[in-house]
Amino acid sequence: MVKIEILDQKDTRSGFGAGLLELGRTNPNVVGLCADLTGSLKMDAFKKEFPDRFIQTGIAEANMIGMAAGLATGGKIPFTGTFANFSTGRVYDQIRQSVAYSGKNVKICASHAGVTLGEDGATHQILEDIGLMKMLPGMVVINPCDYNQTKAATIAIADYDGPVYLRFGRPKWPVFTAPDQKFEIGKAWHINSGNAVSIFCTGHLVWKAIKAGEILAEMGIEADIINIHTIKPLDNEAVLASVAKTGCAVTAEEHQMNGGLGDSICQLLALNNPAPVEMVAVNDSFGESGTPDELLVKYGLETINIVEAVKRVMKRK
Amino acid sequence: MSAKHTVKQLEDIASQVRRDIVRMVHAVQSGHPGGSLGCSDLLVALYHEVMDYQPKPFNMVGNNEDIFILSNGHISPVLYSSMARAGIFEVSELATFRKLNSRLQGHPATHEHLEGVRIASGSLGQGLSVATGIALSKRMNNDPKMVYCLMGDGELEEGQNWEAIMFAAHNKVDNLIGIVDFNGQQIDGSTANIMGLTEIKDKFEAFGWLTMDMDGNNMANVVDTLAKAKTISGKGKPVLIKMKTEMGAGVDFMMGSHEWHGIAPNNDQLANALAQLPETMGDY
């Protein structure tokens, strides 16, 4: 197992804020919109430096998405910011008609996704957003794993012409990817090479998968660990090549089983190379109040859950 | 404003647009003739007289062009005919309305790349937000042109409109002219019975908009009111025009009821309607 060092502890939303600020300086067409959560989305620095390109929409997410579609029509590159729940479920039809069907170059940037939002509870902990967004034709769906990857993804999506859903989170989290990485949409990151099992992971659970890989290595199980930061378009080639080698897979994500990364992997494998899969994800349940760490344990999203899933899936080979 | 057409010439174009509408809807036995006929004078005035824009080649961004957004997308026949008759795309393409592989979808869409359409609409209540976004982009670009947005009166029941109405006033989006088609009808009956709007001008004024009245089926008044709306724009407030129309205007048996909101005429009804609408530009 390759050694992955923790460089720092930072929230992924701050990676978004840093990426947006850099974009403000390099791309005059980038516009920021926020629905009364500027501090939470870490958009303050962009707002301060580019007040004429920052739009405070108030607590009115539907109008924010519609205006973003209008700004994109006018040649701007709008980045909307609010919590993941209000970025997707609350405005699904606005995204569907005014953004996705209309093919608008809108970047929907969503913080506080998943149970690691913590104490606010299930009203705010959306676990369905990846599924909602990946169902929309033409929508790109990205869920980066740490501060550096989020920053790089934020910068990269400005150069892509089309609608993008960028999902990140609230808590401080290990930073372990390279600070000046080049982010390529749809190109998976091969973290560790192994032949025993494939582990496909996204978002906060990438760090958990790496820790699981270390435990498995001590048990003599070398896992092929692949970070799927772009859930759509999926890196089919990387997934199929890995499973051709390992013959089984575990998926890990902070999302419902229904509609998430695991679901995409299962579909791809069923159509091309049926192989046993175990999914580490939330199983048809809402979240609840608690600390992020407590919730990850209770909802089965911990390192140990990935290790156990590997053991189960290897028996099914 | 130097007139491009006389009122009579615009009325003649509107007569042809109304012919197109009933023929398009009849041909596929589906679509929305009532609201389309009611808004024919407005769309002819906008596309043939009032708006400053380049019909060809179509440019999505529309820098330095006036832009029109149709929020109540179900009246697509009047949009398609008005645009085709203005030379934005070929008139012959009207024959494909609502058919398989057509660019003229049941509700307007950008997906098939029909020139002149900048946003999909049909799911109601979204157009004013989009128009506001376009108006903001024009402001950022120091582009002095206007954005017009047509909404239905029943459509104002959708809450998103009020988010946009509040935003546009607060942010002094004064290159935006909203027009509400006040025909008093929606699918299940009169707006007064379904969801009373009371005086919509009072509501918009309370939100900080300037308001005007317009007789939407009087071409001289439409052209005159749109010109006045432009002169009061640019002074820190968005403008709302309450446009009184008759659903089905121009075809006597379609007027005065919500019955013709979303049904097509049969052969006899088509003949009756066409007899009331002079062919002025040649049928497609």
Side-chain angles (χ1 to χ4, degrees):
Chain A
M1 175 74 192
V2 63
K3 182 78 186 149
I4 306 281
E5 300 283 353
I6 294 182
L7 309 172
D8 203 346
Q9 295 277 345
K10 285 184 181 178
D11 44 6
T12 51
R13 56 186 164 141
S14 288
F16 165 68
L20 188 65
L21 181 63
E22 192 168 314
L23 279 176
R25 291 168 180 165
T26 55
N27 191 331
N29 285 324
V30 167
V31 174
L33 300 95
C34 189
D36 198 33
L37 287 168
T38 311
S40 296
L41 266 287
K42 305 294 179 187
M43 295 172 86
D44 329 54
F46 181 91
K47 176 187 174 184
K48 189 166 175 227
E49 196 164 320
F50 308 102
D52 296 339
R53 286 195 271 146
F54 176 80
I55 297 164
Q56 170 61 263
T57 71
I59 312 162
E61 295 82 5
N63 186 45
M64 176 169 73
I65 295 296
M67 289 197 301
L71 285 157
T73 304
K76 303 298 176 189
I77 308 174
F79 282 64
T80 66
T82 183
F83 290 171
N85 188 33
F86 314 135
S87 292
T88 58
R90 188 175 181 94
V91 290
Y92 197 64
D93 190 46
Q94 284 77 17
I95 295 174
R96 181 175 181 275
Q97 175 173 283
S98 293
V99 176
Y101 183 44
S102 292
K104 297 301 176 191
N105 191 21
V106 174
K107 315 304 172 188
I108 300 160
C109 303
S111 185
H112 293 54
V115 292
T116 52
L117 165 89
E119 293 81 352
D120 278 348
T123 54
H124 287 52
Q125 293 162 342
I126 195 162
L127 293 162
E128 302 83 33
D129 53 323
I130 291 174
L132 287 169
M133 291 297 110
K134 81 176 187 184
M135 284 273 285
L136 291 170
M139 181 68 76
V140 168
V141 179
I142 300 172
N143 185 22
C145 64
D146 74 348
Y147 172 97
N148 287 336
Q149 195 181 66
T150 308
K151 182 180 174 187
T154 303
I155 293 166
I157 61 177
D159 287 332
Y160 168 80
D161 185 13
V164 174
Y165 179 62
L166 182 68
R167 177 199 217 231
F168 40 89
R170 175 180 184 234
K172 283 201 164 34
W173 207 254
V175 180
F176 52 92
T177 70
D180 297 316
Q181 64 192 278
K182 174 96 179 121
F183 186 91
E184 199 177 333
I185 295 170
K187 186 76 183 158
W189 172 37
H190 207 145
I191 300 172
N192 188 59
S193 284
N195 294 317
V197 60
S198 301
I199 301 178
F200 301 112
C201 46
T202 196
H204 286 141
L205 263 59
V206 174
W207 181 248
K208 303 291 182 188
I210 289 168
K211 301 312 287 177
E214 289 171 1
I215 293 168
L216 291 164
E218 284 170 20
M219 297 160 61
I221 299 168
E222 203 63 27
D224 208 42
I225 305 176
I226 296 180
N227 168 214
I228 308 285
H229 49 65
T230 309
I231 291 141
K232 185 184 170 188
L234 191 61
D235 189 342
N236 294 354
E237 204 177 315
V239 173
L240 291 172
S242 175
V243 176
K245 183 172 67 170
T246 63
C248 65
V250 166
T251 62
E253 62 193 308
E254 192 184 353
H255 190 272
Q256 300 285 355
M257 252 180 221
N258 284 327
L261 167 67
D263 168 307
S264 290
I265 299 279
C266 285
Q267 186 184 83
L268 178 70
L269 293 177
L271 292 172
N272 293 277
N273 178 20
V277 176
E278 292 283 334
M279 296 157 86
V280 174
V282 175
N283 188 8
D284 202 28
S285 163
F286 290 104
E288 66 182 82
S289 293
T291 67
D293 285 344
E294 288 168 344
L295 291 162
L296 288 168
V297 170
K298 177 161 180 178
Y299 288 88
L301 304 175
E302 263 301 341
T303 302
I304 185 67
N305 302 106
I306 299 172
V307 171
E308 294 300 323
V310 165
K311 289 183 192 165
R312 287 197 305 275
V313 84
M314 286 179 65
K315 282 184 197 153
R316 293 171 54 203
K317 273 212 260 190
Chain B
M1 184 175 78
S2 61
K4 300 171 200 160
H5 300 90
T6 64
V7 168
K8 172 70 171 66
Q9 286 171 325
L10 292 169
E11 286 169 347
D12 285 347
I13 299 170
S15 180
Q16 186 64 52
V17 164
R18 287 188 163 98
R19 284 182 73 87
D20 291 346
I21 292 166
V22 289
R23 293 182 68 236
M24 288 162 74
V25 172
H26 170 264
V28 286
Q29 284 297 296
S30 74
H32 297 79
S36 296
L37 291 166
C39 292
S40 295
D41 303 299
L42 172 73
L43 266 77
V44 167
L46 284 170
Y47 276 100
H48 295 257
E49 182 69 24
V50 174
M51 289 203 303
D52 185 7
Y53 71 104
Q54 208 50 50
K56 269 185 182 174
F58 172 64
N59 177 275
M60 176 60 83
V61 174
N63 276 333
N64 210 33
E65 291 187 43
D66 286 336
I67 283 177
F68 174 73
I69 294 296
L70 179 68
S71 188
N72 49 333
H74 55 275
I75 66 166
S76 57
V78 65
L79 176 70
Y80 295 149
S81 171
S82 300
M83 293 198 305
R85 295 291 174 183
I88 295 176
F89 59 87
E90 291 297 319
V91 170
S92 59
E93 203 168 344
L94 295 175
T96 69
F97 174 61
R98 283 186 172 237
K99 290 180 178 165
L100 192 63
N101 300 320
S102 173
R103 301 197 300 168
L104 278 61
Q105 291 291 296
H107 294 79
T110 58
H111 192 257
E112 286 73 25
H113 307 290
L114 179 66
E115 294 85 2
V117 179
R118 290 191 165 86
I119 195 80
S121 59
S123 177
L124 294 172
Q126 301 187 26
L128 188 61
S129 299
V130 175
T132 304
I134 296 174
L136 289 173
S137 70
K138 286 194 177 297
R139 187 154 86 180
M140 289 176 192
N141 293 339
N142 295 315
D143 174 345
K145 292 295 191 291
M146 303 297 300
V147 182
Y148 297 86
C149 178
L150 176 61
M151 296 155 272
D153 49 0
E155 183 181 12
L156 292 180
E157 291 155 22
E158 291 283 5
Q160 183 182 346
N161 286 307
W162 301 97
E163 296 183 359
I165 291 163
M166 202 182 311
F167 179 95
H170 178 82
N171 290 280
K172 302 182 167 53
V173 183
D174 57 8
N175 52 347
L176 175 66
I177 296 177
I179 303 159
V180 172
D181 176 19
F182 200 82
N183 62 25
Q185 307 291 336
Q186 57 189 107
I187 293 177
D188 276 0
S190 73
T191 51
N193 286 334
I194 304 294
M195 189 61 65
L197 289 161
T198 64
E199 178 47 71
I200 60 161
K201 286 196 301 174
D202 291 348
K203 286 187 161 79
F204 275 82
E205 282 168 17
F207 276 76
W209 287 52
L210 299 173
T211 67
M212 303 176 76
D213 280 300
M214 181 160 90
D215 179 349
N217 296 133
N218 175 328
M219 187 62 83
N221 186 252
V222 169
V223 172
D224 187 45
T225 308
L226 290 172
K228 280 185 187 144
K230 201 171 166 183
T231 65
I232 64 169
S233 292
K235 297 179 174 65
K237 289 186 174 188
V239 176
L240 183 279
I241 299 173
K242 179 186 175 186
M243 178 177 76
K244 183 81 186 72
T245 68
E246 187 84 46
M247 191 177 262
V251 177
D252 56 10
F253 64 89
M254 291 187 176
M255 291 168 68
S257 139
H258 65 276
E259 302 292 332
W260 288 92
H261 171 89
I263 61 165
N266 63 27
N267 291 342
D268 290 344
Q269 290 164 332
L270 174 68
N272 184 353
L274 292 179
Q276 301 174 39
L277 300 167
E279 182 181 348
T280 53
M281 301 172 81
D283 286 340
Y284 63 83

